[in-house]
Amino acid sequence: PSPADTETPLEMRLVPYGRDQRLLLARDVTRTQRLETMRRDFVANVSHELKTPLTVIYGVAEEMAEELAEADPQWAPSVQLLRDQARRMQRLVQDLLMLSRLETGGVAAERQPVAMPALLDELCAEARALSGERGHRIELEAQPGVNVLGAESELRSAISNLLSNAVRYTPDGGTIRVGWHADGHGAYCRVADDGIGVPREHLSRLTERFYRVDKARSNATGGTGLGLAIVKHVINRHGGRLEIASEPEQGSTFTLVFPPEAVTYEAAAASA
Ligand code: ADP
């Protein structure tokens, strides 16, 4: 029977046995699933509980940065550090909450046509602001009238993660190209940079939670280590997949591949 036909969730594997026989191994994974649910709930609860105290700490640190540091400049570096670290913890907690929401839900909840060209335009502007004086060139080429049937908030967060990574892992003045187009097989949202790239041996693990090629660099640039895990969950929930291509010192390309069912066309574009 297939695992779905039985009451107990089973994980099945065929292994070679003897010369031309196979052995079917079935394992009851009820306990594993229960532990996974417990882990998920625990992370979600802890993150939720940390949210309020962190907001308070960050607020107070900001106040101190303005007033105390001005009155007594010797405190300025410590107060700055306090504020930055509180901010970093806030980002981490936000990402953890987002990830646990994504992990518990099945398919994307709200589904409506999301105008990708407009969304990408907005997110590119945000990425330019993030780059600021670092002067990256951020170029967008989007096929008009092609939309995604999906959850806008999730798509926004996924693409914004890809863009902030591109900015963070590309040296000043580098080029980031964002593309959006569709063909008969689906639609593709591409974020390509000419930055530091990723050595081949790390590629397959990039979307694991907290996996970083260079932890120090990631921390220094404000990363939480959860960005690509979020991206992967979001695209999976839209029935698609994340493709990664990268070459050290040459750059990286991250592509969200949407299946045809998740793509809609505006009437004007369809008849054009
Ligand atoms: P982080 O917060 O550490 O950036 P992510 O999950 O977003 O976490 O990314 C995981 C790791 O993948 C990063 O630490 C970095 O090593 C690598 N990475 C992600 N995007 C890029 C990129 N555009 N160029 C080079 N390396 C990248």
Side-chain angles (χ1 to χ4, degrees):
S2 82
D5 296 335
T6 60
E7 291 285 321
T8 319
L10 292 179
E11 189 182 82
M12 310 238 197
R13 212 151 51 89
L14 267 183
V15 295
Y17 183 69
R19 203 142 40 105
D20 41 26
Q21 297 188 62
R22 296 280 185 281
L23 195 63
L24 176 65
L25 291 181
R27 194 161 67 99
D28 177 356
V29 289
T30 315
R31 194 178 136 76
T32 320
Q33 285 183 351
R34 201 177 299 141
L35 284 174
E36 178 59 20
T37 308
M38 274 169 65
R39 178 199 66 76
R40 229 186 265 151
D41 289 350
F42 178 74
V43 172
N45 291 341
V46 171
S47 313
H48 190 78
E49 292 301 322
L50 284 173
K51 233 170 100 167
T52 310
L54 272 174
T55 308
V56 175
I57 292 173
Y58 182 68
V60 174
E62 263 209 318
E63 242 170 73
M64 285 167 77
E66 275 171 29
E67 301 196 7
L68 187 117
E70 212 170 277
D72 195 347
Q74 67 158 330
W75 283 103
S78 317
V79 172
Q80 177 80 22
L81 189 65
L82 178 65
R83 191 179 55 173
D84 291 350
Q85 295 299 313
R87 182 75 199 103
R88 189 168 141 219
M89 276 166 81
Q90 273 188 322
R91 269 202 304 269
L92 185 58
V93 163
Q94 268 164 15
D95 278 1
L96 279 170
L97 276 172
M98 167 110 201
L99 198 55
S100 63
R101 265 197 296 269
L102 290 171
E103 281 177 335
T104 38
V107 290
E110 23 143 359
R111 267 181 187 267
Q112 48 185 340
V114 179
M116 288 291 276
L119 177 63
L120 290 171
D121 205 37
E122 202 184 304
L123 294 174
C124 283
E126 279 174 21
R128 283 184 202 106
L130 177 70
S131 165
E133 290 180 358
R134 297 186 54 208
H136 295 93
R137 266 200 357 217
I138 302 177
E139 297 168 359
L140 169 64
E141 221 173 285
Q143 186 178 339
V146 181
N147 300 336
V148 163
L149 196 60
E152 173 165 354
S153 58
E154 292 181 15
L155 294 169
R156 179 181 288 276
S157 150
I159 299 162
S160 148
N161 269 310
L162 291 180
L163 277 165
S164 66
N165 279 351
V167 169
R168 289 190 297 121
Y169 300 109
T170 300
D172 296 3
T175 302
I176 296 162
R177 291 201 167 80
V178 181
W180 171 244
H181 75 281
D183 62 18
H185 306 287
Y188 312 84
C189 174
R190 197 184 59 239
V191 177
D193 64 57
D194 59 1
I196 63 170
V198 179
R200 182 186 296 266
E201 65 272 22
H202 295 280
L203 279 179
S204 63
R205 302 194 56 192
L206 286 193
T207 58
E208 288 174 20
R209 301 180 205 105
F210 299 116
Y211 189 87
R212 285 114 151 202
V213 175
D214 177 347
K215 199 169 164 82
R217 180 177 197 127
S218 169
N219 281 343
T221 55
T224 62
L226 296 171
L228 289 179
I230 290 176
V231 173
K232 188 179 168 184
H233 270 91
V234 168
I235 185 66
N236 287 352
R237 279 156 62 85
H238 286 78
R241 62 179 194 278
L242 170 67
E243 287 181 357
I244 308 175
S246 187
E247 198 66 55
E249 312 300 329
Q250 303 290 313
S252 315
T253 302
F254 292 80
T255 309
L256 301 176
V257 182
F258 294 89
E261 316 82 82
V263 184
T264 62
Y265 296 86
E266 275 165 31
S271 62

